Amino acid sequence: MPPADWTLRKKWLEQRIELLLGTILPGRNRIGIAVLDLDSGQLIYGRNADLQLNIASNVKLFTTAAALTLLGPEYRFKTVLYGDRDKADKAGEWKNLFLRGYGDPWLSTEDLWKLTNELTVRGVKRIKGDVIIDDSFFDEQRVGPAFEQKNQDSAYRAPQGAVSLNSNAITIRVLPGISDGLPARVILDPASAYIVLQNEARTVGNGRTSLLVDASEEKDAAAGRERTIVRVRGTIRSSETSGMDFHKRVAHPDLYAGHTLLDLLSKRGIVVMGKVTRGIAPPSAQLLDMHYSQPLGVLVRDINKRSNNFTAEQVLKSLGADASGKPGSWQKGLQAVSRYLETLGILPGKYQMVNGSGLFDSNRFTAAQVVTLLRAAYRDFRIAADFVASLAVAGADGTIAHRLGGTPADRYVRAKTGTLNGISCLSGYAATPLSALQPVRPPLAFSILVNDVDEAGGTATAKRLQDAIVEALVAFHGASVAPAK
């Protein structure tokens, strides 16, 4: 245990961290560490604290803190159904149906189903024209800055849209056929005319399950007729009765949502004579129903606890639309974040932020800037509870559910991870149980950024280093004497 005297205790922490650095992760890694006392603002420990590094998903801390401050934890995203009609339309008939989105990152098939229920309640029976998707709250850029570095069909790289459904991803479940040699059974969730399925997979009684599933954009399709092609190849054993699930991005969020809505309308018995298309709801259109998301204070938990890239980018673009007017864009969102950071003393030109999720080789911050943000968020009563609650709890949930369990840091650390090839970051708050005789004081803010680690098990070693340092911080915080203010 560290000594109670503040000066000796601070020296103990410095020596402990230096020992851990030299023992666990020696070499040519670039490491930035900052430990801050939230009460006094004093930097308790720093190592390359002003070195700009790729902080990976720790960028989400900046996105969520800015969004909570500027939009408010109570902010809700909405999705609206409008209709227009002619004077000659009969009862239950409408000319066109419009679905307008405002960036909801959590809109689901179930939510669309509930919207169609309101149409049946209102007596809507027939749409003579089209189902029109109004995506105008965002600009037309679907893929975030730096996302072009990897052209993958994985769900985590899904495109953005003001109208977005199921995180703009589809689930493909592959099951064996009823006997050896027959085609595998493939179930799409949700089923949609927007998806073209090419099933080339076979059932085998012997051998192994070896499936390849990919999703790609249909080539040379007419505007408004684009589709995503899902191709399933390989083999699946007949004994694989529970099947296998794959999650893939869709290429056109608006059309994906539109065709899903069209299918749900049909299931409700509402006849649509036209097609799914793109457009803008006219001012004369009548409001039919509206869906609201969970509050932003809830959504940010998805961003920070689970490190959801899609939700982070949706929030950033929505922040841009709110701050600078629609259409929302990455540029407008980043400008809003920049103005917020400037109020904290984190000045433009001293960091690099190009997207809201931290993906790829793009963003650069220092450990000192991270703890500055953490201190500001913790001390802002308007957002502190929601921001801190959004972080993963050591040994309990989120991306650190399986880290630090059974140690003195178990459930006394809330943090955000960040992992890319050769990069591992951990930033958050470290506290400790206090006795009735000890004065109440806030936790420590910390940021441990590790870049350029050896690809062969390097990030795992970096995580061990981070965990050991965090345990030292918990011990340090538990000593009885607080620093002078």
mmCIF file of all heavy atoms in Angstrom, residues 122-171:
data_model
loop_
_atom_site.group_PDB
_atom_site.id
_atom_site.type_symbol
_atom_site.label_atom_id
_atom_site.label_comp_id
_atom_site.label_asym_id
_atom_site.label_seq_id
_atom_site.Cartn_x
_atom_site.Cartn_y
_atom_site.Cartn_z
ATOM 1 N N ARG A 122 -55.944 4.885 -37.922
ATOM 2 C CA ARG A 122 -56.489 6.046 -38.622
ATOM 3 C C ARG A 122 -57.319 5.659 -39.837
ATOM 4 O O ARG A 122 -57.831 6.534 -40.545
ATOM 5 C CB ARG A 122 -55.347 6.974 -39.060
ATOM 6 C CG ARG A 122 -54.700 7.740 -37.911
ATOM 7 C CD ARG A 122 -53.514 8.541 -38.401
ATOM 8 N NE ARG A 122 -52.985 9.415 -37.364
ATOM 9 C CZ ARG A 122 -53.320 10.682 -37.213
ATOM 10 N NH1 ARG A 122 -54.201 11.238 -38.044
ATOM 11 N NH2 ARG A 122 -52.789 11.417 -36.259
ATOM 12 N N GLY A 123 -57.419 4.364 -40.098
ATOM 13 C CA GLY A 123 -58.250 3.914 -41.207
ATOM 14 C C GLY A 123 -57.588 3.955 -42.562
ATOM 15 O O GLY A 123 -58.266 3.899 -43.595
ATOM 16 N N VAL A 124 -56.250 4.062 -42.597
ATOM 17 C CA VAL A 124 -55.540 4.058 -43.883
ATOM 18 C C VAL A 124 -55.617 2.659 -44.489
ATOM 19 O O VAL A 124 -55.221 1.669 -43.858
ATOM 20 C CB VAL A 124 -54.077 4.487 -43.696
ATOM 21 C CG1 VAL A 124 -53.319 4.409 -45.022
ATOM 22 C CG2 VAL A 124 -53.998 5.899 -43.124
ATOM 23 N N LYS A 125 -56.106 2.586 -45.732
ATOM 24 C CA LYS A 125 -56.271 1.292 -46.391
ATOM 25 C C LYS A 125 -55.533 1.196 -47.720
ATOM 26 O O LYS A 125 -55.235 0.086 -48.168
ATOM 27 C CB LYS A 125 -57.760 1.022 -46.625
ATOM 28 C CG LYS A 125 -58.579 0.912 -45.345
ATOM 29 C CD LYS A 125 -60.045 0.664 -45.646
ATOM 30 C CE LYS A 125 -60.858 0.557 -44.342
ATOM 31 N NZ LYS A 125 -62.308 0.342 -44.622
ATOM 32 N N ARG A 126 -55.242 2.341 -48.297
ATOM 33 C CA ARG A 126 -54.693 2.304 -49.657
ATOM 34 C C ARG A 126 -53.813 3.522 -49.902
ATOM 35 O O ARG A 126 -54.208 4.651 -49.614
ATOM 36 C CB ARG A 126 -55.853 2.269 -50.651
ATOM 37 C CG ARG A 126 -55.481 2.206 -52.117
ATOM 38 C CD ARG A 126 -56.766 2.299 -52.921
ATOM 39 N NE ARG A 126 -56.548 2.297 -54.347
ATOM 40 C CZ ARG A 126 -56.571 1.214 -55.108
ATOM 41 N NH1 ARG A 126 -56.844 0.041 -54.552
ATOM 42 N NH2 ARG A 126 -56.367 1.274 -56.399
ATOM 43 N N ILE A 127 -52.604 3.279 -50.412
ATOM 44 C CA ILE A 127 -51.708 4.335 -50.854
ATOM 45 C C ILE A 127 -51.669 4.262 -52.381
ATOM 46 O O ILE A 127 -51.136 3.302 -52.951
ATOM 47 C CB ILE A 127 -50.287 4.178 -50.273
ATOM 48 C CG1 ILE A 127 -50.331 4.032 -48.742
ATOM 49 C CG2 ILE A 127 -49.411 5.350 -50.691
ATOM 50 C CD1 ILE A 127 -50.878 5.220 -48.004
ATOM 51 N N LYS A 128 -52.246 5.253 -53.032
ATOM 52 C CA LYS A 128 -52.340 5.199 -54.492
ATOM 53 C C LYS A 128 -50.992 5.430 -55.171
ATOM 54 O O LYS A 128 -50.765 4.971 -56.289
ATOM 55 C CB LYS A 128 -53.329 6.252 -54.984
ATOM 56 C CG LYS A 128 -54.760 6.050 -54.480
ATOM 57 C CD LYS A 128 -55.710 6.994 -55.190
ATOM 58 C CE LYS A 128 -55.282 8.456 -54.980
ATOM 59 N NZ LYS A 128 -56.207 9.387 -55.690
ATOM 60 N N GLY A 129 -50.121 6.157 -54.489
ATOM 61 C CA GLY A 129 -48.826 6.472 -55.067
ATOM 62 C C GLY A 129 -47.692 5.677 -54.447
ATOM 63 O O GLY A 129 -47.774 4.446 -54.338
ATOM 64 N N ASP A 130 -46.672 6.385 -53.971
ATOM 65 C CA ASP A 130 -45.421 5.756 -53.548
ATOM 66 C C ASP A 130 -45.194 5.859 -52.040
ATOM 67 O O ASP A 130 -45.789 6.691 -51.357
ATOM 68 C CB ASP A 130 -44.237 6.425 -54.260
ATOM 69 C CG ASP A 130 -44.296 6.291 -55.766
ATOM 70 O OD1 ASP A 130 -44.858 5.274 -56.240
ATOM 71 O OD2 ASP A 130 -43.796 7.195 -56.467
ATOM 72 N N VAL A 131 -44.284 5.031 -51.570
ATOM 73 C CA VAL A 131 -43.691 5.196 -50.248
ATOM 74 C C VAL A 131 -42.386 5.965 -50.474
ATOM 75 O O VAL A 131 -41.452 5.461 -51.102
ATOM 76 C CB VAL A 131 -43.411 3.840 -49.578
ATOM 77 C CG1 VAL A 131 -42.608 4.034 -48.294
ATOM 78 C CG2 VAL A 131 -44.714 3.109 -49.281
ATOM 79 N N ILE A 132 -42.339 7.201 -49.965
ATOM 80 C CA ILE A 132 -41.236 8.111 -50.267
ATOM 81 C C ILE A 132 -40.399 8.330 -49.010
ATOM 82 O O ILE A 132 -40.927 8.691 -47.954
ATOM 83 C CB ILE A 132 -41.771 9.459 -50.788
ATOM 84 C CG1 ILE A 132 -42.627 9.218 -52.043
ATOM 85 C CG2 ILE A 132 -40.619 10.418 -51.091
ATOM 86 C CD1 ILE A 132 -43.365 10.451 -52.529
ATOM 87 N N ILE A 133 -39.098 8.107 -49.128
ATOM 88 C CA ILE A 133 -38.181 8.240 -47.997
ATOM 89 C C ILE A 133 -37.508 9.607 -48.053
ATOM 90 O O ILE A 133 -36.833 9.944 -49.017
ATOM 91 C CB ILE A 133 -37.115 7.116 -48.010
ATOM 92 C CG1 ILE A 133 -37.788 5.748 -48.120
ATOM 93 C CG2 ILE A 133 -36.260 7.206 -46.760
ATOM 94 C CD1 ILE A 133 -38.799 5.452 -47.040
ATOM 95 N N ASP A 134 -37.724 10.376 -46.994
ATOM 96 C CA ASP A 134 -37.166 11.719 -46.887
ATOM 97 C C ASP A 134 -35.950 11.668 -45.972
ATOM 98 O O ASP A 134 -36.064 11.598 -44.752
ATOM 99 C CB ASP A 134 -38.237 12.667 -46.329
ATOM 100 C CG ASP A 134 -37.765 14.123 -46.277
ATOM 101 O OD1 ASP A 134 -36.548 14.358 -46.385
ATOM 102 O OD2 ASP A 134 -38.625 15.010 -46.108
ATOM 103 N N ASP A 135 -34.783 11.704 -46.595
ATOM 104 C CA ASP A 135 -33.508 11.560 -45.887
ATOM 105 C C ASP A 135 -32.766 12.892 -45.797
ATOM 106 O O ASP A 135 -31.562 12.926 -45.570
ATOM 107 C CB ASP A 135 -32.647 10.534 -46.644
ATOM 108 C CG ASP A 135 -31.601 9.859 -45.782
ATOM 109 O OD1 ASP A 135 -31.937 9.405 -44.683
ATOM 110 O OD2 ASP A 135 -30.437 9.788 -46.218
ATOM 111 N N SER A 136 -33.498 13.998 -45.958
ATOM 112 C CA SER A 136 -32.866 15.300 -46.160
ATOM 113 C C SER A 136 -32.278 15.920 -44.901
ATOM 114 O O SER A 136 -31.611 16.957 -44.986
ATOM 115 C CB SER A 136 -33.880 16.271 -46.773
ATOM 116 O OG SER A 136 -35.017 16.428 -45.926
ATOM 117 N N PHE A 137 -32.487 15.313 -43.724
ATOM 118 C CA PHE A 137 -31.909 15.870 -42.504
ATOM 119 C C PHE A 137 -30.394 15.720 -42.477
ATOM 120 O O PHE A 137 -29.705 16.476 -41.794
ATOM 121 C CB PHE A 137 -32.526 15.184 -41.287
ATOM 122 C CG PHE A 137 -32.178 15.825 -39.967
ATOM 123 C CD1 PHE A 137 -32.645 17.095 -39.649
ATOM 124 C CD2 PHE A 137 -31.386 15.172 -39.027
ATOM 125 C CE1 PHE A 137 -32.332 17.698 -38.434
ATOM 126 C CE2 PHE A 137 -31.070 15.764 -37.816
ATOM 127 C CZ PHE A 137 -31.546 17.030 -37.516
ATOM 128 N N PHE A 138 -29.861 14.740 -43.226
ATOM 129 C CA PHE A 138 -28.414 14.560 -43.388
ATOM 130 C C PHE A 138 -28.028 14.869 -44.826
ATOM 131 O O PHE A 138 -28.867 14.824 -45.736
ATOM 132 C CB PHE A 138 -27.999 13.114 -43.082
ATOM 133 C CG PHE A 138 -27.930 12.773 -41.616
ATOM 134 C CD1 PHE A 138 -27.621 11.470 -41.227
ATOM 135 C CD2 PHE A 138 -28.183 13.708 -40.626
ATOM 136 C CE1 PHE A 138 -27.561 11.115 -39.881
ATOM 137 C CE2 PHE A 138 -28.130 13.372 -39.278
ATOM 138 C CZ PHE A 138 -27.812 12.068 -38.905
ATOM 139 N N ASP A 139 -26.741 15.141 -45.032
ATOM 140 C CA ASP A 139 -26.246 15.291 -46.397
ATOM 141 C C ASP A 139 -26.128 13.916 -47.044
ATOM 142 O O ASP A 139 -26.497 12.889 -46.452
ATOM 143 C CB ASP A 139 -24.913 16.050 -46.410
ATOM 144 C CG ASP A 139 -23.772 15.274 -45.752
ATOM 145 O OD1 ASP A 139 -23.998 14.134 -45.290
ATOM 146 O OD2 ASP A 139 -22.644 15.805 -45.681
ATOM 147 N N GLU A 140 -25.617 13.876 -48.250
ATOM 148 C CA GLU A 140 -25.591 12.633 -49.012
ATOM 149 C C GLU A 140 -24.344 11.790 -48.769
ATOM 150 O O GLU A 140 -24.213 10.703 -49.341
ATOM 151 C CB GLU A 140 -25.731 12.934 -50.508
ATOM 152 C CG GLU A 140 -27.072 13.568 -50.874
ATOM 153 C CD GLU A 140 -27.218 13.832 -52.353
ATOM 154 O OE1 GLU A 140 -26.242 13.590 -53.090
ATOM 155 O OE2 GLU A 140 -28.297 14.283 -52.781
ATOM 156 N N GLN A 141 -23.431 12.263 -47.939
ATOM 157 C CA GLN A 141 -22.237 11.473 -47.648
ATOM 158 C C GLN A 141 -22.598 10.361 -46.679
ATOM 159 O O GLN A 141 -23.007 10.607 -45.547
ATOM 160 C CB GLN A 141 -21.129 12.345 -47.050
ATOM 161 C CG GLN A 141 -19.830 11.586 -46.815
ATOM 162 C CD GLN A 141 -18.714 12.459 -46.251
ATOM 163 O OE1 GLN A 141 -18.853 13.674 -46.176
ATOM 164 N NE2 GLN A 141 -17.607 11.837 -45.863
ATOM 165 N N ARG A 142 -22.456 9.130 -47.124
ATOM 166 C CA ARG A 142 -22.882 7.972 -46.338
ATOM 167 C C ARG A 142 -21.770 7.398 -45.460
ATOM 168 O O ARG A 142 -22.037 6.879 -44.385
ATOM 169 C CB ARG A 142 -23.373 6.857 -47.271
ATOM 170 C CG ARG A 142 -24.581 7.206 -48.096
ATOM 171 C CD ARG A 142 -25.810 7.360 -47.236
ATOM 172 N NE ARG A 142 -27.033 7.382 -48.011
ATOM 173 C CZ ARG A 142 -28.208 7.710 -47.515
ATOM 174 N NH1 ARG A 142 -28.326 8.051 -46.251
ATOM 175 N NH2 ARG A 142 -29.282 7.711 -48.274
ATOM 176 N N VAL A 143 -20.553 7.461 -45.939
ATOM 177 C CA VAL A 143 -19.434 6.811 -45.255
ATOM 178 C C VAL A 143 -18.559 7.877 -44.612
ATOM 179 O O VAL A 143 -18.203 8.873 -45.248
ATOM 180 C CB VAL A 143 -18.616 5.943 -46.226
ATOM 181 C CG1 VAL A 143 -17.445 5.292 -45.509
ATOM 182 C CG2 VAL A 143 -19.502 4.866 -46.847
ATOM 183 N N GLY A 144 -18.207 7.668 -43.356
ATOM 184 C CA GLY A 144 -17.477 8.662 -42.599
ATOM 185 C C GLY A 144 -16.061 8.892 -43.080
ATOM 186 O O GLY A 144 -15.461 8.033 -43.739
ATOM 187 N N PRO A 145 -15.483 10.039 -42.744
ATOM 188 C CA PRO A 145 -14.084 10.312 -43.071
ATOM 189 C C PRO A 145 -13.168 9.232 -42.506
ATOM 190 O O PRO A 145 -13.345 8.781 -41.377
ATOM 191 C CB PRO A 145 -13.828 11.663 -42.398
ATOM 192 C CG PRO A 145 -15.177 12.301 -42.303
ATOM 193 C CD PRO A 145 -16.134 11.180 -42.060
ATOM 194 N N ALA A 146 -12.221 8.800 -43.315
ATOM 195 C CA ALA A 146 -11.237 7.751 -43.004
ATOM 196 C C ALA A 146 -11.810 6.349 -43.149
ATOM 197 O O ALA A 146 -11.053 5.369 -43.130
ATOM 198 C CB ALA A 146 -10.630 7.919 -41.614
ATOM 199 N N PHE A 147 -13.125 6.193 -43.304
ATOM 200 C CA PHE A 147 -13.698 4.864 -43.470
ATOM 201 C C PHE A 147 -13.293 4.236 -44.792
ATOM 202 O O PHE A 147 -13.393 3.026 -44.961
ATOM 203 C CB PHE A 147 -15.234 4.940 -43.387
ATOM 204 C CG PHE A 147 -15.776 4.948 -41.988
ATOM 205 C CD1 PHE A 147 -15.341 5.877 -41.066
ATOM 206 C CD2 PHE A 147 -16.729 4.026 -41.593
ATOM 207 C CE1 PHE A 147 -15.842 5.904 -39.780
ATOM 208 C CE2 PHE A 147 -17.236 4.038 -40.307
ATOM 209 C CZ PHE A 147 -16.796 4.979 -39.392
ATOM 210 N N GLU A 148 -12.842 5.053 -45.737
ATOM 211 C CA GLU A 148 -12.417 4.521 -47.028
ATOM 212 C C GLU A 148 -11.130 3.712 -46.911
ATOM 213 O O GLU A 148 -10.734 3.025 -47.864
ATOM 214 C CB GLU A 148 -12.235 5.660 -48.032
ATOM 215 C CG GLU A 148 -11.018 6.541 -47.804
ATOM 216 C CD GLU A 148 -11.217 7.584 -46.698
ATOM 217 O OE1 GLU A 148 -12.340 7.685 -46.169
ATOM 218 O OE2 GLU A 148 -10.244 8.283 -46.363
ATOM 219 N N GLN A 149 -10.473 3.774 -45.751
ATOM 220 C CA GLN A 149 -9.229 3.031 -45.582
ATOM 221 C C GLN A 149 -9.446 1.518 -45.636
ATOM 222 O O GLN A 149 -8.521 0.772 -45.922
ATOM 223 C CB GLN A 149 -8.561 3.426 -44.263
ATOM 224 C CG GLN A 149 -8.076 4.868 -44.227
ATOM 225 C CD GLN A 149 -7.445 5.238 -42.891
ATOM 226 O OE1 GLN A 149 -7.058 4.379 -42.112
ATOM 227 N NE2 GLN A 149 -7.350 6.526 -42.616
ATOM 228 N N LYS A 150 -10.669 1.081 -45.314
ATOM 229 C CA LYS A 150 -11.001 -0.346 -45.392
ATOM 230 C C LYS A 150 -12.355 -0.504 -46.052
ATOM 231 O O LYS A 150 -13.349 0.003 -45.538
ATOM 232 C CB LYS A 150 -11.003 -0.996 -44.006
ATOM 233 C CG LYS A 150 -9.627 -1.186 -43.399
ATOM 234 C CD LYS A 150 -9.689 -2.060 -42.168
ATOM 235 C CE LYS A 150 -8.291 -2.317 -41.597
ATOM 236 N NZ LYS A 150 -8.335 -3.188 -40.400
ATOM 237 N N ASN A 151 -12.388 -1.178 -47.172
ATOM 238 C CA ASN A 151 -13.635 -1.406 -47.891
ATOM 239 C C ASN A 151 -14.199 -2.759 -47.472
ATOM 240 O O ASN A 151 -13.997 -3.769 -48.123
ATOM 241 C CB ASN A 151 -13.388 -1.352 -49.395
ATOM 242 C CG ASN A 151 -14.685 -1.437 -50.180
ATOM 243 O OD1 ASN A 151 -15.767 -1.188 -49.632
ATOM 244 N ND2 ASN A 151 -14.595 -1.790 -51.446
ATOM 245 N N GLN A 152 -14.910 -2.769 -46.353
ATOM 246 C CA GLN A 152 -15.435 -4.009 -45.792
ATOM 247 C C GLN A 152 -16.950 -3.965 -45.731
ATOM 248 O O GLN A 152 -17.563 -2.891 -45.688
ATOM 249 C CB GLN A 152 -14.878 -4.233 -44.387
ATOM 250 C CG GLN A 152 -13.366 -4.402 -44.344
ATOM 251 C CD GLN A 152 -12.847 -4.495 -42.912
ATOM 252 O OE1 GLN A 152 -13.374 -3.853 -42.022
ATOM 253 N NE2 GLN A 152 -11.816 -5.301 -42.700
ATOM 254 N N ASP A 153 -17.570 -5.155 -45.702
ATOM 255 C CA ASP A 153 -19.027 -5.234 -45.601
ATOM 256 C C ASP A 153 -19.485 -5.544 -44.177
ATOM 257 O O ASP A 153 -20.648 -5.874 -43.956
ATOM 258 C CB ASP A 153 -19.581 -6.291 -46.568
ATOM 259 C CG ASP A 153 -19.061 -7.695 -46.277
ATOM 260 O OD1 ASP A 153 -18.276 -7.880 -45.315
ATOM 261 O OD2 ASP A 153 -19.444 -8.634 -47.000
ATOM 262 N N SER A 154 -18.584 -5.412 -43.200
ATOM 263 C CA SER A 154 -18.932 -5.701 -41.815
ATOM 264 C C SER A 154 -19.952 -4.689 -41.298
ATOM 265 O O SER A 154 -19.973 -3.530 -41.708
ATOM 266 C CB SER A 154 -17.686 -5.667 -40.932
ATOM 267 O OG SER A 154 -16.728 -6.589 -41.381
ATOM 268 N N ALA A 155 -20.781 -5.128 -40.349
ATOM 269 C CA ALA A 155 -21.831 -4.269 -39.816
ATOM 270 C C ALA A 155 -21.256 -3.052 -39.103
ATOM 271 O O ALA A 155 -21.885 -1.989 -39.086
ATOM 272 C CB ALA A 155 -22.729 -5.069 -38.872
ATOM 273 N N TYR A 156 -20.063 -3.185 -38.495
ATOM 274 C CA TYR A 156 -19.500 -2.053 -37.750
ATOM 275 C C TYR A 156 -19.141 -0.895 -38.680
ATOM 276 O O TYR A 156 -18.930 0.234 -38.222
ATOM 277 C CB TYR A 156 -18.279 -2.481 -36.946
ATOM 278 C CG TYR A 156 -16.996 -2.641 -37.735
ATOM 279 C CD1 TYR A 156 -16.168 -1.554 -37.969
ATOM 280 C CD2 TYR A 156 -16.606 -3.877 -38.239
ATOM 281 C CE1 TYR A 156 -14.991 -1.678 -38.685
ATOM 282 C CE2 TYR A 156 -15.438 -4.021 -38.949
ATOM 283 C CZ TYR A 156 -14.630 -2.920 -39.177
ATOM 284 O OH TYR A 156 -13.469 -3.059 -39.897
ATOM 285 N N ARG A 157 -19.096 -1.142 -39.981
ATOM 286 C CA ARG A 157 -18.768 -0.114 -40.971
ATOM 287 C C ARG A 157 -20.013 0.296 -41.761
ATOM 288 O O ARG A 157 -19.931 0.731 -42.895
ATOM 289 C CB ARG A 157 -17.679 -0.644 -41.913
ATOM 290 C CG ARG A 157 -16.992 0.413 -42.755
ATOM 291 C CD ARG A 157 -15.926 -0.204 -43.650
ATOM 292 N NE ARG A 157 -15.438 0.748 -44.644
ATOM 293 C CZ ARG A 157 -16.016 0.958 -45.818
ATOM 294 N NH1 ARG A 157 -17.104 0.279 -46.149
ATOM 295 N NH2 ARG A 157 -15.525 1.839 -46.668
ATOM 296 N N ALA A 158 -21.169 0.175 -41.158
ATOM 297 C CA ALA A 158 -22.415 0.493 -41.846
ATOM 298 C C ALA A 158 -22.468 1.967 -42.222
ATOM 299 O O ALA A 158 -21.933 2.819 -41.511
ATOM 300 C CB ALA A 158 -23.601 0.144 -40.958
ATOM 301 N N PRO A 159 -23.123 2.307 -43.330
ATOM 302 C CA PRO A 159 -23.245 3.704 -43.738
ATOM 303 C C PRO A 159 -24.233 4.459 -42.855
ATOM 304 O O PRO A 159 -25.011 3.853 -42.117
ATOM 305 C CB PRO A 159 -23.776 3.597 -45.176
ATOM 306 C CG PRO A 159 -24.537 2.307 -45.182
ATOM 307 C CD PRO A 159 -23.778 1.389 -44.272
ATOM 308 N N GLN A 160 -24.177 5.776 -42.933
ATOM 309 C CA GLN A 160 -25.057 6.620 -42.122
ATOM 310 C C GLN A 160 -26.217 7.131 -42.970
ATOM 311 O O GLN A 160 -26.092 7.270 -44.190
ATOM 312 C CB GLN A 160 -24.286 7.804 -41.558
ATOM 313 C CG GLN A 160 -22.946 7.472 -40.937
ATOM 314 C CD GLN A 160 -23.007 6.500 -39.785
ATOM 315 O OE1 GLN A 160 -22.179 5.624 -39.637
ATOM 316 N NE2 GLN A 160 -24.015 6.662 -38.950
ATOM 317 N N GLY A 161 -27.326 7.461 -42.321
ATOM 318 C CA GLY A 161 -28.461 8.042 -43.007
ATOM 319 C C GLY A 161 -29.418 8.659 -42.013
ATOM 320 O O GLY A 161 -29.571 8.154 -40.894
ATOM 321 N N ALA A 162 -30.072 9.738 -42.407
ATOM 322 C CA ALA A 162 -31.072 10.336 -41.524
ATOM 323 C C ALA A 162 -32.205 9.356 -41.270
ATOM 324 O O ALA A 162 -32.787 9.327 -40.187
ATOM 325 C CB ALA A 162 -31.605 11.626 -42.137
ATOM 326 N N VAL A 163 -32.533 8.554 -42.282
ATOM 327 C CA VAL A 163 -33.422 7.406 -42.095
ATOM 328 C C VAL A 163 -32.531 6.179 -42.050
ATOM 329 O O VAL A 163 -31.939 5.789 -43.056
ATOM 330 C CB VAL A 163 -34.451 7.281 -43.235
ATOM 331 C CG1 VAL A 163 -35.312 6.038 -43.036
ATOM 332 C CG2 VAL A 163 -35.337 8.516 -43.307
ATOM 333 N N SER A 164 -32.410 5.583 -40.895
ATOM 334 C CA SER A 164 -31.561 4.405 -40.708
ATOM 335 C C SER A 164 -32.342 3.359 -39.938
ATOM 336 O O SER A 164 -33.035 3.679 -38.971
ATOM 337 C CB SER A 164 -30.274 4.760 -39.950
ATOM 338 O OG SER A 164 -29.426 5.566 -40.739
ATOM 339 N N LEU A 165 -32.223 2.114 -40.347
ATOM 340 C CA LEU A 165 -32.983 1.020 -39.740
ATOM 341 C C LEU A 165 -32.040 -0.082 -39.280
ATOM 342 O O LEU A 165 -31.147 -0.489 -40.021
ATOM 343 C CB LEU A 165 -33.991 0.460 -40.760
ATOM 344 C CG LEU A 165 -34.902 -0.659 -40.284
ATOM 345 C CD1 LEU A 165 -35.900 -0.149 -39.248
ATOM 346 C CD2 LEU A 165 -35.648 -1.281 -41.462
ATOM 347 N N ASN A 166 -32.238 -0.550 -38.052
ATOM 348 C CA ASN A 166 -31.444 -1.668 -37.525
ATOM 349 C C ASN A 166 -29.945 -1.424 -37.677
ATOM 350 O O ASN A 166 -29.184 -2.323 -38.040
ATOM 351 C CB ASN A 166 -31.826 -2.980 -38.215
ATOM 352 C CG ASN A 166 -33.302 -3.312 -38.078
ATOM 353 O OD1 ASN A 166 -33.916 -3.038 -37.055
ATOM 354 N ND2 ASN A 166 -33.880 -3.887 -39.121
ATOM 355 N N SER A 167 -29.523 -0.192 -37.412
ATOM 356 C CA SER A 167 -28.112 0.206 -37.549
ATOM 357 C C SER A 167 -27.594 -0.034 -38.961
ATOM 358 O O SER A 167 -26.403 -0.241 -39.178
ATOM 359 C CB SER A 167 -27.238 -0.528 -36.527
ATOM 360 O OG SER A 167 -27.640 -0.223 -35.217
ATOM 361 N N ASN A 168 -28.525 0.001 -39.930
ATOM 362 C CA ASN A 168 -28.187 -0.180 -41.340
ATOM 363 C C ASN A 168 -27.412 -1.478 -41.586
ATOM 364 O O ASN A 168 -26.449 -1.524 -42.356
ATOM 365 C CB ASN A 168 -27.427 1.031 -41.871
ATOM 366 C CG ASN A 168 -28.322 2.253 -41.946
ATOM 367 O OD1 ASN A 168 -29.542 2.133 -42.040
ATOM 368 N ND2 ASN A 168 -27.734 3.426 -41.902
ATOM 369 N N ALA A 169 -27.874 -2.499 -40.894
ATOM 370 C CA ALA A 169 -27.270 -3.824 -41.047
ATOM 371 C C ALA A 169 -28.387 -4.853 -41.125
ATOM 372 O O ALA A 169 -29.523 -4.614 -40.720
ATOM 373 C CB ALA A 169 -26.343 -4.137 -39.881
ATOM 374 N N ILE A 170 -28.055 -6.005 -41.656
ATOM 375 C CA ILE A 170 -29.004 -7.102 -41.781
ATOM 376 C C ILE A 170 -28.382 -8.360 -41.190
ATOM 377 O O ILE A 170 -27.156 -8.562 -41.261
ATOM 378 C CB ILE A 170 -29.403 -7.329 -43.255
ATOM 379 C CG1 ILE A 170 -30.556 -8.329 -43.355
ATOM 380 C CG2 ILE A 170 -28.210 -7.752 -44.095
ATOM 381 C CD1 ILE A 170 -31.190 -8.375 -44.715
ATOM 382 N N THR A 171 -29.217 -9.181 -40.563
ATOM 383 C CA THR A 171 -28.751 -10.452 -40.007
ATOM 384 C C THR A 171 -29.066 -11.580 -40.988
ATOM 385 O O THR A 171 -30.194 -11.682 -41.475
ATOM 386 C CB THR A 171 -29.430 -10.735 -38.660
ATOM 387 O OG1 THR A 171 -29.083 -9.701 -37.736
ATOM 388 C CG2 THR A 171 -28.985 -12.076 -38.093
#
